[in-house]
Amino acid sequence: MTTGTTAVWGRAEQQDFRSRVRGALLCGAVGDALGAGVGDLTLEEIRADHGVEAVTDLVPVHGVRGTVTAITQLTLFTVDGLIRAQVRRDIGAWHPPTDVHRAHLRWLATQHDWGPDERRAEDGWLARQEWLYVRRNPARECLTGFGDATMGTLDQPRNPTARDSAALTRSAPFGLLVGWEPELVLQLAVECAAQTHGHPVALLSAGAFAVMMHALTRGETLDGAVQHALALLAEKPGHEPVSEALKQALGTVRQGIPGPALIESLGDTDSAEEVLAVAVYCALVSEDVRHGLRLAVNHGGPSAATGALCGALLGALHGETALPPAWLVELEGRATLLELADDFAMEMTQGPALHNPSAAAPGWLARYPRG
């Protein structure tokens, strides 16, 4: 797999990129945490619990405000896998889908082990973060897809009929590969989605989301990012359900004041294309990040998924300074998210200074081993 032209980074470009990476990962996690408090409740049930305005702030989950779900856990390990892929490229071991799969197997260990004490040095620093060793409603398809070392592929995907949103909720980091061509970003997201999901709609939803994230991280508008994804989707067999869902999201923007009724007209199930459409619509009509996330979680669909996807889009669009500080200070794992975001930005902009075929910084290889 090739990544296209190598980018030359100026200081301002590096700062902008880091802000967007931080924004995408942090805001995605905030949306996940905001939605986790209402799970799969109907709008009526949400209002019964939280009042007529529904959820307007973080609510306790597992007894604590700001806790995230497996969506954020898996997203973190996706980032870890992408960094490890870059590091392993020095030794000729260049296959990002495999490195991402290995990272997700490390995530799976956190769902079964008691803690990080017995992790090997080659598992890297992320696998030693104790707060990750808790099960937070992971999708069954992810548990079974990563249930053994056999990696799903496009020819032989795991869970061949799976169409749910867990195929794409861990895919935001692929869009942060701004040095790659968008076609390759789409392909990588699709290949990695096949490791747990096999339905073509789920795969192309993951690819479309990654392409939108990629466009936003490169500085495009949200509307332009959607149009870019539609153009690439049009080249793929079986794209129609995903393309129609995105076109419906664009059309719904012009149908009046945003609210639960319009959101649920886009879908209230956990199917990948409906969740994607809801997230895109809420991002498109948002007045600011707080408004967009509240829209994204207050409906009858899977609120953590729509909140996480909408948050990632808005974070990549606006950068970290646009995020609500009152929600950030209570976000579980914020220090880990920031550290990983900065490591990713440093790898993508200054990787050759950290490692190359002839030399490497020992501290970096301790964090992201080549093995």
Side-chain angles (χ1 to χ4, degrees):
M1 182 178 292
T2 180
T3 60
T5 303
T6 301
V8 178
W9 296 85
R11 181 173 297 178
E13 291 172 316
Q14 290 184 40
Q15 291 174 343
D16 179 75
F17 177 61
R18 185 176 70 171
S19 177
R20 293 179 191 273
V21 172
R22 282 183 165 192
L25 296 184
L26 286 169
C27 198
V30 168
D32 178 21
L34 191 66
V38 292
D40 295 321
L41 300 179
T42 66
L43 180 63
E44 291 72 21
E45 291 170 332
I46 295 173
R47 286 175 169 164
D49 289 343
H50 301 285
V52 67
E53 294 186 4
V55 171
T56 60
D57 199 357
L58 295 171
V59 298
V61 185
H62 309 291
V64 182
R65 286 163 53 104
T67 55
V68 298
T69 76
I71 291 171
T72 296
Q73 294 175 341
L74 276 162
T75 300
L76 286 170
F77 278 93
T78 303
V79 176
D80 179 69
L82 292 176
I83 296 175
R84 294 277 284 266
Q86 293 292 115
V87 173
R88 284 169 53 80
R89 191 174 190 176
D90 294 338
I91 58 174
W94 176 242
H95 192 249
T98 297
D99 290 302
V100 171
H101 183 252
R102 289 172 174 167
H104 288 152
L105 294 181
R106 293 192 289 275
W107 164 79
L108 186 69
T110 69
Q111 304 299 289
H112 299 297
D113 294 348
W114 288 103
D117 295 344
E118 303 302 320
R119 299 309 289 266
R120 305 164 300 170
E122 55 264 36
D123 288 331
W125 78 278
L126 184 63
R128 294 193 291 272
Q129 303 305 301
E130 188 169 356
W131 71 275
L132 289 170
Y133 284 75
V134 60
R135 186 173 288 203
R136 293 282 176 73
N137 196 31
R140 179 188 61 82
E141 290 77 10
C142 292
L143 294 174
T144 59
F146 300 128
D148 57 50
T150 303
M151 186 176 79
T153 64
L154 294 179
D155 291 334
Q156 292 184 303
R158 305 300 293 264
N159 301 310
T161 62
R163 187 174 177 164
D164 62 276
S165 65
L168 69 150
T169 51
R170 63 181 188 267
S171 296
F174 302 128
L176 304 177
L177 296 167
V178 294
W180 290 40
E181 295 302 322
E183 295 84 357
L184 293 176
V185 168
L186 185 148
Q187 181 66 19
L188 178 59
V190 167
E191 288 187 30
C192 290
Q195 295 169 9
T196 57
H197 291 68
H199 196 289
V201 168
L203 301 181
L204 290 178
S205 295
F209 176 59
V211 168
M212 283 184 274
M213 290 292 299
H214 187 255
L216 294 173
T217 309
R218 284 184 162 186
E220 292 188 26
T221 66
L222 184 52
D223 184 83
V226 178
Q227 297 295 344
H228 200 58
L230 285 169
L232 289 183
L233 281 174
E235 303 171 3
K236 303 296 181 181
H239 72 91
E240 289 82 4
V242 184
S243 294
E244 288 304 316
L246 289 175
K247 290 176 182 177
Q248 187 179 356
L250 290 172
T252 304
V253 171
R254 300 186 292 272
Q255 292 182 14
I257 298 174
L262 287 177
I263 291 170
E264 292 188 4
S265 73
L266 296 169
D268 58 2
T269 75
D270 193 32
S271 62
E273 78 279 18
E274 290 187 1
V275 169
L276 178 62
V278 168
V280 168
Y281 168 77
C282 293
L284 283 167
V285 299
S286 62
E287 299 170 1
D288 55 28
V289 170
R290 186 185 296 271
H291 176 242
L293 292 183
R294 285 173 173 170
L295 285 173
V297 304
N298 284 309
H299 56 84
S303 297
T306 51
L309 294 179
C310 180
L313 292 169
L314 291 174
L317 176 64
H318 297 298
E320 63 171 321
T321 58
L323 276 59
W327 288 351
L328 279 178
V329 297
E330 295 190 80
L331 179 64
E332 181 183 33
R334 178 166 64 101
T336 302
L337 282 153
L338 276 170
E339 192 170 356
L340 190 64
D342 287 352
D343 279 2
F344 181 87
M346 187 157 51
E347 173 61 44
M348 295 302 134
T349 61
Q350 303 177 63
L354 294 167
H355 59 88
N356 57 65
S358 59
W364 196 250
L365 291 190
R367 293 174 70 77
Y368 304 101
R370 286 171 170 159

